[in-house]
Coordinates of all heavy atoms in Angstrom, one line a residue:
P185 N 88.8 135.6 114.4 CA 88.9 136.0 115.7 C 90.3 135.6 116.2 O 90.8 136.1 117.2 CB 87.9 135.3 116.5 CG 86.8 134.9 115.4 CD 87.6 134.6 114.2
F186 N 90.9 134.6 115.6 CA 92.3 134.2 116.1 C 93.4 134.6 115.4 O 94.5 134.1 115.6 CB 92.2 132.7 116.2 CG 91.0 132.0 116.8 CD1 90.1 131.4 116.0 CD2 90.6 132.3 118.1 CE1 88.9 130.7 116.5 CE2 89.4 131.8 118.5 CZ 88.5 131.1 117.8
R187 N 93.2 135.5 114.4 CA 94.4 136.1 113.5 C 94.9 135.0 112.8 O 96.2 134.9 112.4 CB 95.4 136.7 114.4 CG 95.0 138.0 115.1 CD 96.1 138.4 116.1 NE 96.1 137.6 117.3 CZ 96.6 138.1 118.4 NH1 97.2 139.3 118.5 NH2 96.5 137.3 119.5
F188 N 94.1 134.0 112.5 CA 94.5 132.8 111.7 C 94.9 133.2 110.2 O 94.1 133.9 109.6 CB 93.5 131.7 111.7 CG 94.1 130.2 111.7 CD1 94.3 129.7 113.0 CD2 94.3 129.6 110.6 CE1 94.8 128.5 113.0 CE2 94.9 128.2 110.7 CZ 95.2 127.8 111.8
G189 N 96.0 132.7 109.7 CA 96.5 133.1 108.4 C 96.6 132.0 107.4 O 96.1 130.9 107.6
L190 N 97.4 132.1 106.4 CA 97.6 131.2 105.3 C 99.1 131.0 105.0 O 99.9 131.9 105.3 CB 96.9 131.6 104.0 CG 95.3 131.9 104.2 CD1 94.8 132.3 102.8 CD2 94.6 130.5 104.5
E191 N 99.4 129.9 104.4 CA 100.8 129.6 104.1 C 100.7 129.2 102.5 O 99.8 128.5 102.1 CB 101.3 128.4 104.8 CG 102.8 128.0 104.4 CD 102.9 127.0 103.3 OE1 101.8 126.3 103.0 OE2 103.9 126.9 102.6
A192 N 101.6 129.7 101.7 CA 101.5 129.4 100.2 C 103.1 129.0 99.8 O 104.0 129.2 100.5 CB 101.3 130.7 99.5
G193 N 103.1 128.0 98.9 CA 104.3 127.4 98.5 C 104.6 127.7 97.0 O 105.6 127.0 96.4
S194 N 103.8 128.3 96.3 CA 104.0 128.7 94.8 C 103.3 130.0 94.5 O 102.6 130.5 95.3 CB 103.4 127.4 94.0 OG 102.0 127.4 94.2
K195 N 103.6 130.3 93.3 CA 103.0 131.7 92.9 C 101.4 131.7 92.8 O 100.8 132.6 93.3 CB 103.6 132.1 91.6 CG 105.0 132.7 91.7 CD 105.7 133.0 90.5 CE 106.2 132.0 89.6 NZ 107.1 132.4 88.5
P196 N 100.9 130.6 92.2 CA 99.4 130.6 92.2 C 98.8 130.4 93.6 O 97.8 131.0 93.9 CB 99.1 129.4 91.4 CG 100.3 128.6 91.2 CD 101.4 129.6 91.4
E197 N 99.5 129.8 94.5 CA 99.0 129.6 95.9 C 99.2 131.0 96.6 O 98.3 131.4 97.3 CB 99.8 128.6 96.6 CG 99.4 127.1 96.2 CD 100.0 126.1 97.1 OE1 101.0 126.5 97.9 OE2 99.6 124.9 97.1
L198 N 100.1 131.8 96.2 CA 100.4 133.1 96.9 C 99.2 134.0 96.4 O 98.7 134.8 97.2 CB 101.7 133.7 96.5 CG 102.0 135.0 96.9 CD1 101.8 135.2 98.4 CD2 103.4 135.5 96.5
L199 N 98.9 134.0 95.1 CA 97.8 134.8 94.5 C 96.5 134.4 95.3 O 95.6 135.3 95.7 CB 97.7 134.7 93.0 CG 98.8 135.2 92.3 CD1 98.8 134.7 90.8 CD2 98.9 136.7 92.3
L200 N 96.3 133.1 95.4 CA 95.0 132.8 96.1 C 95.1 133.2 97.5 O 93.9 133.6 98.0 CB 95.1 131.1 96.0 CG 94.0 130.4 96.7 CD1 94.0 128.8 96.1 CD2 93.8 130.2 98.1
A201 N 96.2 133.1 98.2 CA 96.1 133.5 99.6 C 95.9 134.9 99.8 O 95.2 135.4 100.6 CB 97.6 133.0 100.3
M202 N 96.6 135.8 99.0 CA 96.4 137.2 99.0 C 94.9 137.6 98.8 O 94.4 138.4 99.5 CB 97.3 137.9 98.1 CG 98.8 137.9 98.5 SD 99.8 139.1 97.7 CE 99.7 138.7 96.0
S203 N 94.3 137.0 97.7 CA 93.0 137.4 97.5 C 92.0 136.9 98.6 O 91.1 137.6 99.0 CB 92.4 136.8 96.2 OG 92.6 135.5 96.2
S204 N 92.3 135.8 99.1 CA 91.4 135.2 100.3 C 91.6 136.1 101.5 O 90.6 136.4 102.2 CB 91.8 133.8 100.6 OG 91.6 132.9 99.5
L205 N 92.8 136.6 101.9 CA 93.0 137.3 103.1 C 92.6 138.8 102.9 O 92.7 139.5 103.9 CB 94.5 137.3 103.5 CG 95.0 136.0 104.0 CD1 96.5 136.0 104.2 CD2 94.4 135.7 105.3
C206 N 92.0 139.2 101.7 CA 91.4 140.5 101.6 C 90.2 140.7 102.7 O 89.8 141.7 103.1 CB 90.9 140.8 100.3 SG 92.1 141.1 99.0
K207 N 89.7 139.4 103.1 CA 88.5 139.4 104.1 C 89.1 138.9 105.4 O 88.3 138.5 106.4 CB 87.4 138.5 103.6 CG 86.8 139.0 102.3 CD 85.6 138.2 101.9 CE 85.0 138.8 100.7 NZ 83.8 137.9 100.2
G208 N 90.3 138.6 105.5 CA 91.0 138.1 106.8 C 91.3 139.1 107.7 O 91.2 140.3 107.6
N209 N 91.8 138.7 108.9 CA 92.3 139.5 110.0 C 93.5 140.2 109.5 O 94.4 139.6 109.0 CB 92.7 138.7 111.2 CG 92.8 139.6 112.4 OD1 93.7 140.4 112.4 ND2 92.1 139.2 113.5
P210 N 93.6 141.6 109.6 CA 94.8 142.3 109.2 C 96.2 141.7 109.8 O 97.2 142.0 109.3 CB 94.6 143.8 109.6 CG 93.0 143.8 109.8 CD 92.6 142.4 110.2
E211 N 96.1 141.2 111.0 CA 97.2 140.7 111.6 C 97.6 139.2 111.3 O 98.7 138.7 111.7 CB 97.1 140.8 113.2 CG 96.9 142.1 113.8 CD 96.8 142.2 115.2 OE1 97.6 141.5 115.9 OE2 95.9 142.8 115.8
A212 N 96.7 138.6 110.5 CA 97.0 137.3 110.0 C 98.3 137.2 109.2 O 98.6 138.1 108.3 CB 95.8 136.7 109.2
L213 N 99.1 136.1 109.6 CA 100.3 135.9 108.7 C 100.1 135.3 107.4 O 99.1 134.5 107.2 CB 101.3 135.0 109.7 CG 101.9 135.5 110.9 CD1 102.5 134.4 111.7 CD2 102.9 136.5 110.6
L214 N 100.9 135.6 106.4 CA 100.9 135.0 105.2 C 102.3 134.5 104.9 O 103.2 135.2 104.5 CB 100.5 136.0 104.0 CG 99.9 135.3 102.8 CD1 99.4 136.3 101.8 CD2 100.9 134.4 102.0
V215 N 102.6 133.3 105.2 CA 103.9 132.8 105.3 C 104.1 132.2 103.9 O 103.4 131.4 103.3 CB 104.0 131.6 106.3 CG1 105.4 131.0 106.3 CG2 103.7 132.1 107.7
C216 N 105.3 132.6 103.3 CA 105.5 132.3 101.9 C 106.8 131.4 101.8 O 107.9 131.8 101.9 CB 105.8 133.6 101.1 SG 104.5 134.7 101.1
N217 N 106.5 130.1 101.7 CA 107.5 129.1 101.5 C 107.8 128.7 100.1 O 107.2 129.1 99.1 CB 107.0 127.8 102.3 CG 107.0 128.1 103.9 OD1 107.9 128.8 104.3 ND2 106.1 127.3 104.5
G218 N 108.5 127.7 99.9 CA 108.9 127.2 98.6 C 110.1 127.9 97.9 O 110.5 129.0 98.3
Y219 N 110.5 127.4 96.9 CA 111.5 127.9 96.0 C 110.9 129.2 95.3 O 109.8 129.2 95.0 CB 112.1 127.0 95.0 CG 112.8 125.8 95.6 CD1 112.5 124.5 95.2 CD2 113.9 125.9 96.5 CE1 113.1 123.4 95.9 CE2 114.5 124.9 97.1 CZ 114.1 123.6 96.7 OH 114.7 122.4 97.3
K220 N 111.9 130.2 95.1 CA 111.4 131.5 94.7 C 112.2 132.1 93.6 O 113.4 131.8 93.5 CB 111.3 132.5 95.9 CG 110.5 132.1 97.1 CD 110.8 132.8 98.3 CE 110.2 132.1 99.5 NZ 110.7 130.9 99.9
D221 N 111.6 132.7 92.6 CA 112.2 133.6 91.7 C 111.9 135.0 91.9 O 111.2 135.4 92.8 CB 111.9 133.1 90.3 CG 110.4 133.1 90.1 OD1 109.7 133.8 90.9 OD2 110.0 132.7 89.0
V222 N 112.3 135.9 91.0 CA 112.1 137.4 91.0 C 110.6 137.7 91.2 O 110.1 138.5 91.9 CB 112.7 138.1 90.0 CG1 112.3 139.6 89.9 CG2 114.2 138.0 90.0
E223 N 109.7 136.9 90.4 CA 108.3 137.3 90.2 C 107.7 136.9 91.6 O 106.9 137.6 92.1 CB 107.6 136.4 89.2 CG 106.2 136.8 89.0 CD 105.6 136.1 87.8 OE1 106.1 135.2 87.3 OE2 104.4 136.4 87.5
Y224 N 108.0 135.7 92.2 CA 107.5 135.3 93.4 C 107.9 136.3 94.5 O 106.9 136.8 95.2 CB 108.0 133.9 93.8 CG 107.4 133.2 95.0 CD1 107.2 131.8 95.0 CD2 107.0 133.9 96.1 CE1 106.7 131.2 96.0 CE2 106.5 133.2 97.2 CZ 106.3 132.0 97.1 OH 105.7 131.3 98.3
I225 N 109.1 136.7 94.6 CA 109.5 137.6 95.6 C 108.9 139.0 95.4 O 108.4 139.7 96.4 CB 111.1 137.8 95.6 CG1 111.6 136.5 96.1 CG2 111.4 138.9 96.5 CD1 113.2 136.4 95.9
S226 N 108.7 139.4 94.1 CA 108.0 140.7 93.9 C 106.5 140.6 94.4 O 106.0 141.6 94.9 CB 108.0 141.0 92.4 OG 109.3 141.0 91.9
L227 N 105.9 139.5 94.1 CA 104.5 139.4 94.6 C 104.4 139.5 96.1 O 103.6 140.1 96.7 CB 103.9 138.1 94.2 CG 103.5 137.9 92.7 CD1 103.1 136.4 92.4 CD2 102.3 138.8 92.4
V228 N 105.4 138.9 96.8 CA 105.3 138.9 98.2 C 105.5 140.4 98.7 O 104.8 140.8 99.7 CB 106.5 137.9 98.9 CG1 106.5 138.1 100.4 CG2 106.2 136.6 98.5
L229 N 106.4 141.1 98.1 CA 106.7 142.4 98.5 C 105.5 143.3 98.2 O 105.2 144.3 98.9 CB 108.0 142.9 98.0 CG 109.2 142.1 98.4 CD1 110.5 142.6 97.8 CD2 109.4 142.3 99.9
V230 N 104.9 143.1 97.0 CA 103.7 143.9 96.6 C 102.6 143.7 97.6 O 101.9 144.5 98.1 CB 103.4 143.5 95.3 CG1 101.8 144.1 94.9 CG2 104.2 144.1 94.1
G231 N 102.7 142.3 98.2 CA 101.6 142.1 99.2 C 101.7 143.0 100.4 O 100.8 143.4 101.0
R232 N 103.0 143.3 100.9 CA 103.2 144.1 101.9 C 102.8 145.6 101.7 O 102.2 146.3 102.6 CB 104.7 144.2 102.3 CG 105.2 142.8 102.9 CD 106.4 143.0 103.8 NE 106.1 143.7 105.0 CZ 105.6 143.2 106.2 NH1 105.2 142.0 106.1 NH2 105.4 144.0 107.2
K233 N 103.0 146.1 100.4 CA 102.5 147.3 100.1 C 100.9 147.4 100.2 O 100.3 148.4 100.4 CB 102.8 147.6 98.7 CG 104.2 148.2 98.4 CD 104.4 148.7 97.0 CE 105.7 149.4 96.9 NZ 105.6 150.7 97.4
L234 N 100.2 146.2 99.9 CA 98.8 146.1 100.0 C 98.2 145.9 101.4 O 97.1 145.7 101.6 CB 98.4 145.0 99.0 CG 98.7 145.2 97.5 CD1 98.1 143.9 96.7 CD2 98.1 146.5 97.1
G235 N 99.2 145.8 102.3 CA 98.7 145.6 103.8 C 98.7 144.3 104.2 O 98.2 144.0 105.3

Side-chain angles (χ1 to χ4, degrees):
F186 313 117
R187 296 171 283 196
F188 216 89
L190 300 173
E191 181 270 346
S194 65
K195 286 180 278 190
E197 287 186 351
L198 176 56
L199 292 169
L200 183 162
M202 287 197 297
S203 62
S204 299
L205 285 174
C206 287
K207 297 181 180 180
N209 191 305
E211 296 182 46
L213 292 168
L214 203 175
V215 177
C216 303
N217 291 325
Y219 295 125
K220 302 166 188 70
D221 60 7
V222 171
E223 185 179 14
Y224 189 146
I225 293 169
S226 299
L227 281 172
V228 177
L229 296 176
V230 167
R232 291 205 67 80
K233 275 184 173 287
L234 299 178

